Amino acid sequence: MISSSEYGSHSWELLVVVDHQHEEVEKEFSLRVTGDLHIGGVMLKLVERIEISQDWSDYALWWEQKKRWLLKTHWTLDKCGVQADAKLFFTTQHKMLRLRLPNMKTVRLKVSFSSVVFKAVSDICKILNIRRSEELSLLKQSEDTLKKKKKKDKNSKEPLTEDILNLCNSPVSSGLSASPGLYSKTMTPIYDPISGTPASSTITWFSDSPLTEQNCSILALSHPNCSPETLAEMYQPRTLADKAKLNAGWLDSSRSLMEQGILEDDQLLLRFKYYTFFDLNPKYDAVRINQIYEQARWAILLEEVDCTEEEMLIFAALQAQYHVSKLSLSSEAQDFTCESEVDEVEAALSNLEVTLEGGNASNILEDITDIPKLADNLRLVRPRKLSLKAIKPYWFVFKDTSVSYFKNKESAQGEPIEKLNLKGCEVVPDVNVAAKKFGIKLLIPVADGMNEVYLRCENENQYARWMAACVLASKGKTMADSSYHPEVHKILSFLKMKNWTMSPQAVSDPESTDMKPECFVSLRYTKKYKPKQLAARILEAHQNVSQMTLVEAKLRFIQAWQSLPEFGLSYYIVRFKGSKKDDVLGVSYNRLIRIDIATGDPITTWRFSNMKQWNVNWEIRQVAIEFDQNVSIAFTCLSADCKIIHEYIGGYIFLSTRSKDQNETLDEDLFHKLTGGQE
């Protein structure tokens, strides 16, 4: 019997379901509580009632109806809003999750289902030994991308068994995350910078974690490609609308997995969400570099990003080089730190080159007294709707962030025919090395859209100098910037890879190389060419990359991927305020692009550097952005939740604040302030 004093005037019955494995013990408990009882007190009462002797430290209360964790144990039931109609679950915070990595390998590990996704990804990356976890996030595959695979599975007579790498021996709260020095700049190299394999000095380090030396090799080394048949079963976007589906399922970084409907043993994709790869170093980042390479490789093979046939053959040659290379891997690694502000992949390559040469790279420092300029004869091409393109030679002068052109060199002292301001423009390469075509396509913002202009250069060197100047100018930088010369070098090295000649000796017997060419290109080219033809063409291109080491081949692949016009663009279908039709919005690391959904042509570009503020009207799910010069835009997102675009913008701005002087520490509060929003 319970006395009336125990009931009190404000007490009530609270139903709690306990998630435990003991079948002989009941799972539902009814606790008599009052509104001023704190959450910790409820858990204490519950454990006393359960009478099972076990460690309950990982357990917490989950409110199913509200999709909320009750983690603040000092809060009372009244403050949490819990009343008699609530049904709570007493369950573990860490649960098993299957993650599909960029290299298409699946790992199974324990993840915190109560931490926000940003923190959960950080813990996952520590287990997998991937630095800079802020560049990655978790993606839930949309139903559309899974339909094709499910259809194939139904037609398959044999059941598919997936090879899963089990890392569940240790939860994320232990293992690598506790390893001292893992995120320190003074740490010893843990990978061979040439082969990407774990350095011998770190073998003992791996034995203390679920990531054994063998498992590390699975994550840090690339494995043979899949067959065209396997590739045909995977989702391949054909239109911009299809590409938009790929980015619809990003999880909210400010909420936990459970709050977003993710259940134990569900499968999610771990992917690089933000295409700004910071501080790449082959000596510490073998897993990270390999996973970036794999994400790039699959993007090329599945045609998620467009490239020309010439570029596809380069990507195939670099993959072939990685898999057939028999170069010595015994070169001694030298310590090297890159201080110049250059592209991160270029820095990693410079790092690697210095390691191979056994020297130190000198920084590109110049005593700039005035801003350099370029002056040369180029040809100007202006597309015309009703007639042939008008191609005329002019004398061009590039200074600051503008290009001026004159009738000839002698008239350069006077007024130019036209002056083009390239700040905020789109710069697209228009190159075919075999045909000696070196063009630069400029899409310059004007009041009613984009003004399209082509510049034609005479040779590779001229093209590299002018292209680098245009790329920097589009970002608001001049040729005085320290990144100009590395940009020229990067463009020239990419052109060199494209410039191959037929060597009868090299391609006389493609079969002798034991190469399966159809594994290195997208389906479009396996249908276009026979295997022998494809092998011969890949081997032609391979001559220019045949001396690269394994890690260098991967870094060059990443760099070539970054040079593609569509690199780093995440697409969403949106409806702009005042518009009667849908458009595609491309989100990149430094800009937003409005794209015509029918033609794929850019309409307008807005740079983050010109952004004054952005906000979201959560009631009508509309994103509003203000830029300099009284430019403002507003749109609703049709292919995904507007929170995803809001987080993308805030995330890229957050990543732009990173500095190598921070010694790997991140301001997580700033990230949530920029990306969280107030719903």
XYZ file of all heavy atoms in Angstrom, residues 590-631:
359
model
N 33.790 29.749 -52.224
C 33.951 31.208 -52.189
C 32.826 31.977 -52.884
O 32.871 33.190 -52.980
C 35.291 31.603 -52.823
C 35.384 31.195 -54.283
O 34.502 30.518 -54.806
N 36.456 31.602 -54.942
N 31.788 31.260 -53.371
C 30.760 31.967 -54.122
C 29.489 31.129 -54.243
O 29.492 29.916 -54.014
C 31.274 32.324 -55.528
C 31.500 31.119 -56.431
C 32.461 31.461 -57.555
N 32.547 30.454 -58.595
C 33.230 29.331 -58.502
N 33.863 29.037 -57.385
N 33.278 28.480 -59.503
N 28.415 31.824 -54.628
C 27.159 31.192 -55.015
C 26.941 31.477 -56.495
O 27.229 32.581 -56.962
C 25.987 31.770 -54.210
C 26.018 31.619 -52.682
C 24.865 32.408 -52.061
C 25.912 30.158 -52.287
N 26.441 30.491 -57.240
C 26.199 30.682 -58.671
C 24.759 30.313 -58.990
O 24.301 29.215 -58.656
C 27.133 29.806 -59.533
C 28.598 29.973 -59.110
C 26.980 30.150 -61.014
C 29.544 29.031 -59.822
N 24.056 31.246 -59.639
C 22.712 30.947 -60.142
C 22.860 30.385 -61.545
O 23.492 30.994 -62.411
C 21.868 32.226 -60.155
C 20.424 32.012 -60.590
C 19.632 33.314 -60.510
N 18.237 33.127 -60.909
C 17.318 34.092 -60.841
N 17.660 35.301 -60.386
N 16.078 33.853 -61.213
N 22.293 29.189 -61.763
C 22.494 28.470 -63.018
C 21.142 28.164 -63.657
O 20.192 27.779 -62.972
C 23.265 27.153 -62.765
C 24.617 27.449 -62.086
C 23.481 26.383 -64.051
C 25.305 26.227 -61.526
N 21.065 28.343 -64.967
C 19.844 28.007 -65.704
C 19.662 26.492 -65.693
O 20.537 25.747 -66.149
C 19.959 28.517 -67.149
C 18.646 28.370 -67.914
O 18.186 27.223 -68.078
O 18.098 29.396 -68.351
N 18.534 26.018 -65.175
C 18.318 24.578 -64.999
C 18.208 23.844 -66.338
O 18.515 22.650 -66.430
C 17.060 24.328 -64.125
C 17.041 22.885 -63.593
C 15.779 24.632 -64.899
C 16.018 22.634 -62.508
N 17.808 24.544 -67.384
C 17.626 23.911 -68.696
C 18.940 23.818 -69.467
O 19.279 22.768 -70.022
C 16.595 24.685 -69.509
N 19.709 24.917 -69.491
C 20.929 24.958 -70.311
C 22.203 24.658 -69.528
O 23.212 24.285 -70.112
C 21.086 26.340 -70.964
O 21.267 27.327 -69.929
C 19.858 26.699 -71.789
N 22.158 24.870 -68.204
C 23.359 24.686 -67.391
C 24.294 25.881 -67.414
O 25.399 25.836 -66.861
N 23.860 26.982 -68.055
C 24.706 28.185 -68.142
C 24.600 29.016 -66.866
O 23.501 29.197 -66.326
C 24.281 29.052 -69.329
C 24.535 28.363 -70.660
O 25.445 27.506 -70.707
O 23.827 28.674 -71.640
N 25.750 29.557 -66.384
C 25.704 30.451 -65.218
C 24.958 31.738 -65.568
O 25.135 32.292 -66.652
C 27.177 30.744 -64.923
C 27.955 29.708 -65.666
C 27.128 29.334 -66.843
N 24.114 32.188 -64.655
C 23.365 33.438 -64.865
C 24.013 34.568 -64.075
O 24.280 35.637 -64.614
C 21.890 33.269 -64.448
C 21.225 32.160 -65.282
C 21.124 34.574 -64.591
C 19.845 31.763 -64.797
N 24.271 34.330 -62.807
C 24.876 35.345 -61.936
C 25.756 34.669 -60.902
O 25.481 33.543 -60.483
C 23.803 36.161 -61.180
O 22.730 36.473 -62.066
C 24.374 37.439 -60.617
N 26.816 35.361 -60.493
C 27.700 34.874 -59.428
C 27.745 35.895 -58.296
O 27.826 37.100 -58.540
C 29.132 34.655 -59.965
O 29.105 33.638 -60.964
C 30.079 34.215 -58.860
N 27.681 35.408 -57.061
C 27.835 36.274 -55.884
C 28.960 35.725 -55.022
O 28.948 34.551 -54.642
C 26.547 36.311 -55.061
C 25.345 36.783 -55.819
C 24.994 38.068 -56.111
C 24.307 35.963 -56.383
N 23.818 38.103 -56.822
C 23.362 36.820 -57.005
C 24.070 34.579 -56.427
C 22.228 36.346 -57.650
C 22.952 34.111 -57.081
C 22.036 34.984 -57.674
N 29.931 36.561 -54.708
C 31.091 36.147 -53.911
C 30.803 36.291 -52.422
O 30.185 37.268 -51.985
C 32.303 37.007 -54.263
C 32.762 36.839 -55.698
C 33.872 35.827 -55.823
N 33.979 35.343 -57.199
C 34.791 34.379 -57.583
N 35.559 33.782 -56.692
N 34.827 33.974 -58.829
N 31.308 35.326 -51.633
C 31.173 35.425 -50.175
C 31.911 36.652 -49.638
O 31.513 37.233 -48.637
C 31.730 34.167 -49.493
C 30.888 32.940 -49.713
C 31.432 31.676 -49.581
C 29.546 33.038 -50.048
C 30.664 30.538 -49.773
C 28.762 31.901 -50.246
C 29.329 30.653 -50.113
N 32.991 37.044 -50.337
C 33.778 38.197 -49.871
C 32.978 39.493 -49.936
O 33.297 40.473 -49.264
C 35.064 38.337 -50.702
O 34.746 38.437 -52.087
N 31.914 39.515 -50.764
C 31.062 40.707 -50.866
C 29.800 40.600 -50.015
O 28.938 41.479 -50.058
C 30.638 40.933 -52.327
C 31.832 41.169 -53.233
O 32.843 41.698 -52.785
N 31.738 40.762 -54.482
N 29.686 39.528 -49.249
C 28.476 39.295 -48.466
C 28.494 40.118 -47.181
O 29.482 40.133 -46.461
C 28.361 37.797 -48.129
C 27.040 37.398 -47.509
S 27.073 35.682 -46.938
C 27.279 34.833 -48.478
N 27.397 40.791 -46.913
C 27.283 41.577 -45.678
C 26.601 40.776 -44.581
O 27.037 40.770 -43.435
C 26.506 42.868 -45.951
C 27.265 43.849 -46.836
C 26.386 44.992 -47.317
C 26.053 45.962 -46.226
N 25.275 47.124 -46.753
N 25.518 40.095 -44.922
C 24.839 39.251 -43.941
C 23.888 38.294 -44.653
O 23.527 38.500 -45.805
C 24.063 40.097 -42.932
C 22.861 40.837 -43.517
C 22.009 41.492 -42.447
O 22.450 41.759 -41.346
N 20.764 41.747 -42.765
N 23.535 37.224 -43.943
C 22.527 36.304 -44.467
C 21.689 35.793 -43.306
O 22.147 35.726 -42.176
C 23.176 35.152 -45.242
C 23.711 34.021 -44.409
C 23.125 32.818 -44.163
C 24.968 33.979 -43.722
N 23.912 32.041 -43.370
C 25.057 32.732 -43.082
C 26.033 34.883 -43.576
C 26.155 32.354 -42.316
C 27.117 34.511 -42.805
C 27.178 33.265 -42.194
N 20.451 35.492 -43.590
C 19.576 34.965 -42.545
C 18.496 34.094 -43.185
O 18.351 34.052 -44.404
C 18.953 36.094 -41.715
C 18.185 37.069 -42.584
O 17.153 36.736 -43.151
N 18.719 38.299 -42.713
N 17.754 33.395 -42.323
C 16.709 32.492 -42.794
C 15.393 32.846 -42.117
O 15.346 33.036 -40.898
C 17.060 31.015 -42.493
C 15.951 30.092 -42.987
C 18.388 30.633 -43.126
N 14.346 32.979 -42.903
C 12.996 33.102 -42.361
C 12.472 31.676 -42.209
O 12.053 31.038 -43.176
C 12.102 33.910 -43.317
C 10.709 34.131 -42.769
O 10.190 33.310 -42.008
N 10.086 35.236 -43.149
N 12.531 31.171 -40.960
C 12.217 29.761 -40.738
C 10.736 29.440 -40.973
O 10.391 28.285 -41.239
C 12.639 29.346 -39.329
C 14.118 29.450 -39.115
C 14.775 30.362 -38.348
C 15.132 28.633 -39.705
N 16.135 30.175 -38.421
C 16.387 29.115 -39.249
C 15.120 27.549 -40.584
C 17.591 28.540 -39.631
C 16.325 26.971 -40.956
C 17.540 27.472 -40.485
N 9.866 30.439 -40.880
C 8.430 30.183 -41.079
C 8.126 29.832 -42.532
O 7.369 28.910 -42.820
C 7.612 31.403 -40.648
C 7.584 31.606 -39.139
C 6.713 32.788 -38.741
O 5.981 33.294 -39.615
O 6.771 33.185 -37.571
N 8.732 30.578 -43.460
C 8.483 30.294 -44.880
C 9.684 29.601 -45.531
O 9.715 29.409 -46.743
C 8.133 31.587 -45.653
C 9.266 32.632 -45.542
C 6.831 32.171 -45.147
C 9.042 33.851 -46.419
N 10.692 29.241 -44.701
C 11.887 28.516 -45.155
C 12.573 29.243 -46.311
O 12.906 28.669 -47.337
C 11.548 27.084 -45.580
C 10.585 26.333 -44.695
C 11.083 26.142 -43.280
N 12.141 25.162 -43.155
C 12.695 24.836 -41.984
N 12.296 25.425 -40.869
N 13.655 23.939 -41.913
N 12.814 30.527 -46.123
C 13.440 31.346 -47.170
C 14.788 31.879 -46.697
O 14.908 32.402 -45.589
C 12.534 32.519 -47.540
C 13.047 33.336 -48.721
C 12.144 34.524 -49.028
O 12.145 35.525 -48.315
N 11.345 34.405 -50.075
N 15.802 31.707 -47.558
C 17.147 32.226 -47.273
C 17.276 33.604 -47.919
O 16.981 33.768 -49.102
C 18.241 31.292 -47.831
C 19.635 31.835 -47.504
C 18.086 29.876 -47.276
N 17.700 34.597 -47.124
C 17.886 35.962 -47.648
C 19.345 36.374 -47.427
O 19.894 36.169 -46.342
C 16.949 36.932 -46.937
N 19.964 36.941 -48.466
C 21.382 37.327 -48.401
C 21.554 38.744 -48.915
O 20.988 39.111 -49.948
C 22.262 36.370 -49.229
C 21.967 34.905 -48.879
C 23.739 36.664 -48.998
C 22.691 33.904 -49.752
N 22.345 39.530 -48.186
C 22.673 40.904 -48.612
C 24.142 40.983 -48.982
O 25.004 40.484 -48.265
C 22.379 41.886 -47.474
C 20.905 42.154 -47.246
C 20.695 43.220 -46.163
O 21.554 44.128 -46.059
O 19.702 43.119 -45.426
N 24.415 41.632 -50.134
C 25.785 41.832 -50.592
C 26.084 43.330 -50.664
O 25.202 44.165 -50.476
C 25.975 41.203 -51.981
C 25.790 39.707 -52.004
C 24.545 39.151 -52.284
C 26.847 38.856 -51.745
C 24.360 37.785 -52.308
C 26.676 37.480 -51.768
C 25.433 36.940 -52.047
N 27.344 43.636 -50.947
C 27.740 45.035 -51.146
C 26.967 45.652 -52.315
O 26.391 44.935 -53.144
C 29.246 45.122 -51.434
C 30.075 44.726 -50.216
O 29.528 44.788 -49.097
O 31.245 44.349 -50.390
N 27.001 46.965 -52.391
C 26.377 47.739 -53.479
C 24.864 47.491 -53.565
O 24.278 47.453 -54.651
C 27.048 47.404 -54.815
C 28.533 47.785 -54.828
C 29.218 47.346 -56.096
O 28.752 46.453 -56.783
N 30.347 47.978 -56.407
N 24.254 47.315 -52.371
C 22.787 47.177 -52.254
C 22.210 46.014 -53.069
O 21.082 46.086 -53.563
C 22.090 48.478 -52.675
C 22.468 49.630 -51.763
O 22.574 49.441 -50.552
N 22.698 50.800 -52.338
N 22.993 44.966 -53.226
C 22.506 43.766 -53.912
C 21.952 42.800 -52.866
O 22.633 42.480 -51.888
C 23.636 43.074 -54.704
C 23.154 41.761 -55.303
C 24.160 43.995 -55.793
